[in-house]
Amino acid sequence: MSDLDDLIDFLDSSPSPWHAVESTVQRLVGFERLDERASWTDVPAAGYVVRDGALIAWRLPADGDGPSTPFRLVGAHTDSPCLRVKPRPDTGGLGWKQLGVEVYGGILNNSWLDRDLGIAGRVVAADGTTALVDVAEPTARIPQLAVHLDRAVNSGGLVLDTQQHLSPVWGVGEASPGEFGDWIGRAAGLGGPPAWWELCLYDVQGAAVLGADRSLLASGRLDNQLSCWAGAQALRAASPAGQVAVVVMNDHEEVGSSSTTGASGPFLESVLSRLVAGRGGTVDDRHRALAASSCVSADNAHAVHPNYPERHEPGHQPIVNAGPALKVNSNQRYATSATTAAAFQRSCDAADVPWQVFVSRNNMPCGSTIGPLTATRLGIETVDVGVPQLSMHSARELCGAQDPLYLTRAMQAFLTG
Ligand code: ZN
């Protein structure tokens, strides 16, 4: 399987953050899983730990390893904006069965209309038993109002009320309470309806190579599962020398990162501390390690849009298939500094990978990433980078087919040192 085919397989098998973690685990062949609740007295040379929709994996250097050895981190996030099924979702009327859904993160509302939607995530029984479920069949759809009934839509723009206009239909007849729970319980192989769930709607159309020249990649969740895949590939291939290579995949970036698994939470700090202590290190060793550590925060960037060039900063317009963009913002929406940018440039040069620069317009608010949060929490110097893409936060996004491979090679060079 080519790397691009493997990325397509990763995207198609990761319709939720929990599935993205599972897809990553399947690729970490030879890595030993540790339990956060167990004692870490013997840290494996290659290992990982999972906490819900987040994962941290590492590889110790083959030579010269000590507890004060610095870390080189690659960070990304597993979650993507989507619609999630409410706890009591059975609703509808006028002959339609509908699902109550909640908006997760900053979706492009219109991109969810008229798509065949599957449902995936995790279900939990009353006794705490948890299972992943993925109904990868056309199950639900948010039908757009016909143009005949909305004559101004093409000139005035589409306005959608997220409470009123985004409820998908998923059948006909009378809605009955508990019907969805019974259905998803059967789909998950449980004996009955789950007590609770976290379930994402997603476009069942699989990732696809696009363009007459096959130069593009279209898929849901490119932001930011593309970077998760690239980070895992880089860690698998890296041979770290003089530093501990780490990949961290946080959840909840799209909703502010404040959670047990988000970048503002304690997960990364806890694991790094235990990697030091588990190898006999002291508090001083940990501070020495962190002071010499660095992080590449990978999250997709905005490629210049050919139909809206005026929305981009004229001197900093990333194009697709021209390498990862270094993201710079003096106001620290991105954590990139001159020194971390130069270090990442060296990694790109070592891997023979081209690179670009992204800066927002002054009159347009700039997004942010897990980069500044990781830098703030741990004091680790960080560079924000990302593959340029179009249609960010659409149900189906678009990027260059070559750029994920460029990013992987640059990350591998960074993690190897
Ligand atoms: Zn993102």
mmCIF file of all heavy atoms in Angstrom, residues 77 223-224 253-254 299, ligand 1:
data_model
loop_
_atom_site.group_PDB
_atom_site.id
_atom_site.type_symbol
_atom_site.label_atom_id
_atom_site.label_comp_id
_atom_site.label_asym_id
_atom_site.label_seq_id
_atom_site.Cartn_x
_atom_site.Cartn_y
_atom_site.Cartn_z
ATOM 1 N N HIS A 77 -4.334 17.238 16.472
ATOM 2 C CA HIS A 77 -5.583 16.968 17.193
ATOM 3 C C HIS A 77 -6.470 16.004 16.421
ATOM 4 O O HIS A 77 -6.487 15.994 15.186
ATOM 5 C CB HIS A 77 -6.326 18.256 17.553
ATOM 6 C CG HIS A 77 -6.830 19.075 16.395
ATOM 7 N ND1 HIS A 77 -8.061 18.860 15.820
ATOM 8 C CD2 HIS A 77 -6.276 20.117 15.720
ATOM 9 C CE1 HIS A 77 -8.244 19.745 14.860
ATOM 10 N NE2 HIS A 77 -7.178 20.513 14.756
ATOM 11 N N ASP A 223 -8.489 18.350 8.400
ATOM 12 C CA ASP A 223 -8.159 19.111 9.612
ATOM 13 C C ASP A 223 -8.761 18.351 10.798
ATOM 14 O O ASP A 223 -9.954 18.423 11.019
ATOM 15 C CB ASP A 223 -8.731 20.524 9.512
ATOM 16 C CG ASP A 223 -8.615 21.321 10.802
ATOM 17 O OD1 ASP A 223 -7.875 20.897 11.708
ATOM 18 O OD2 ASP A 223 -9.272 22.368 10.912
ATOM 19 N N ASN A 224 -8.011 17.525 11.559
ATOM 20 C CA ASN A 224 -6.575 17.540 11.494
ATOM 21 C C ASN A 224 -6.040 16.103 11.511
ATOM 22 O O ASN A 224 -4.942 15.849 11.967
ATOM 23 C CB ASN A 224 -6.039 18.352 12.675
ATOM 24 C CG ASN A 224 -4.579 18.664 12.571
ATOM 25 O OD1 ASN A 224 -4.002 18.684 11.498
ATOM 26 N ND2 ASN A 224 -3.950 18.851 13.691
ATOM 27 N N GLU A 253 -9.625 20.145 20.397
ATOM 28 C CA GLU A 253 -9.002 21.392 19.929
ATOM 29 C C GLU A 253 -10.038 22.322 19.319
ATOM 30 O O GLU A 253 -9.972 23.535 19.472
ATOM 31 C CB GLU A 253 -7.912 21.074 18.892
ATOM 32 C CG GLU A 253 -7.014 22.264 18.552
ATOM 33 C CD GLU A 253 -7.551 23.161 17.451
ATOM 34 O OE1 GLU A 253 -8.491 22.757 16.732
ATOM 35 O OE2 GLU A 253 -7.047 24.289 17.304
ATOM 36 N N GLU A 254 -11.013 21.727 18.642
ATOM 37 C CA GLU A 254 -11.997 22.543 17.915
ATOM 38 C C GLU A 254 -12.984 23.240 18.853
ATOM 39 O O GLU A 254 -13.777 24.061 18.405
ATOM 40 C CB GLU A 254 -12.769 21.671 16.912
ATOM 41 C CG GLU A 254 -11.895 21.027 15.841
ATOM 42 C CD GLU A 254 -11.317 22.039 14.855
ATOM 43 O OE1 GLU A 254 -11.645 23.234 14.974
ATOM 44 O OE2 GLU A 254 -10.537 21.626 13.984
ATOM 45 N N ASP A 299 -1.086 21.573 12.275
ATOM 46 C CA ASP A 299 -2.521 21.763 12.052
ATOM 47 C C ASP A 299 -2.645 22.452 10.696
ATOM 48 O O ASP A 299 -1.852 23.342 10.374
ATOM 49 C CB ASP A 299 -3.107 22.630 13.176
ATOM 50 C CG ASP A 299 -4.595 22.410 13.351
ATOM 51 O OD1 ASP A 299 -5.228 21.805 12.466
ATOM 52 O OD2 ASP A 299 -5.125 22.865 14.377
HETATM 53 ZN ZN ZN B 1 -7.337 22.067 13.191
#
